[in-house]
Structure formats: C-alpha cells, structure tokens
Amino acid sequence: MRKPRKRSFAELVLENKRQILNDRAALEKLEEKIEKRLGKAE
C-alpha cells in the first residue's frame, strides 16, 4: 500500500478557503429563510 501524499500548506489553505466560502453561502441562505419566517410571524 502506498502512503497518502501529504498536502502542502498552500493546498490546505485553498481547501479551507473553499469550505468557508461554501459554508458562508449556506449560512446566508439559512439566515434569509429565518428572517422571512420571523417577518411572517409578526
């Protein structure tokens, strides 16, 4: 079996950046849904 290749620091940074951007987009969608529901509840 081959050892998994270690990623460089730059690769880890890019992967982390992509994950944060994806999460941020998902969080913004959730915030919009919550705001709409709160607006309807009032």
Side-chain angles (χ1 to χ4, degrees):
M1 291 178 72
R2 222 174 76 180
K3 281 188 175 182
R5 183 178 72 88
K6 289 187 179 183
R7 295 187 212 163
S8 71
F9 181 74
E11 288 172 328
L12 291 172
V13 169
L14 286 174
E15 182 181 339
N16 200 21
K17 182 178 176 181
R18 279 189 223 112
Q19 288 177 350
I20 290 170
L21 290 174
N22 288 337
D23 288 348
R24 191 175 292 162
L27 287 174
E28 286 176 7
K29 287 181 186 178
L30 286 173
E31 286 176 358
E32 288 175 11
K33 287 181 183 179
I34 291 170
E35 287 174 1
K36 285 180 185 176
R37 289 185 183 174
L38 288 176
K40 289 180 184 177
E42 289 178 2

